[in-house]
């Protein structure tokens, strides 16, 4: 099963949104700089802010793109604050 995850860097005061099949490894890969051209190489203090698990891969990809299209810090913070938004996203991209 796939996951959507959002990382936060205090140094950059920015969020990063991604998706993966194995959430247990992915945040560490960003911290180690495994992705050479990735935005996450700009900082080394990324913390897992939010994750949505148990998704089909295509569903995770669509939710990731939806979050990125919103281009809103408030939206990301509300995703964590109000679980019903997450539920609606999962239902929307079934």
């Amino acid at each position: 099963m796939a996951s959507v995850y959002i990382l936060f860097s205090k140094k950059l005061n920015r969020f990063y949104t991604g998706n993966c099949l194995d959430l247990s490894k992915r945040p560490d890969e960003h911290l180690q700089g495994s992705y050479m051209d990735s935005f996450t190489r700009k900082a080394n203090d990324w913390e897992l802010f939010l994750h949505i698990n148990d998704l089909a891969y295509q569903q995770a990809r669509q939710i990731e793109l939806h979050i990125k299209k919103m281009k809103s810090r408030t939206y990301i913070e509300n995703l964590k604050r109000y679980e019903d938004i997450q539920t609606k996203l999962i239902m929307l991209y079934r």
Side-chain angles (χ1 to χ4, degrees), residues 11-70:
K11 177 181 173 184
L12 300 177
N13 194 29
R14 297 281 304 266
F15 289 100
Y16 175 83
T17 303
N19 76 77
C20 65
L21 293 173
D22 187 357
L23 187 60
S24 67
K25 295 179 185 176
R26 191 58 160 243
D28 289 336
E29 291 171 350
H30 284 291
L31 285 172
Q32 295 167 2
S34 299
Y35 306 102
M36 297 309 237
D37 295 330
S38 175
F39 174 77
T40 57
R41 286 194 53 115
K42 294 180 180 184
N44 60 359
D45 68 336
W46 295 101
E47 295 179 4
L48 188 60
F49 178 78
L50 173 74
H51 59 89
I52 305 171
N53 294 322
D54 300 325
L55 304 169
Y57 181 76
Q58 189 60 32
Q59 184 182 23
R61 182 76 179 127
Q62 290 174 325
I63 291 172
E64 173 196 5
L65 292 175
H66 171 86
I67 293 168
K68 287 180 174 182
K69 282 181 189 177
M70 295 302 287

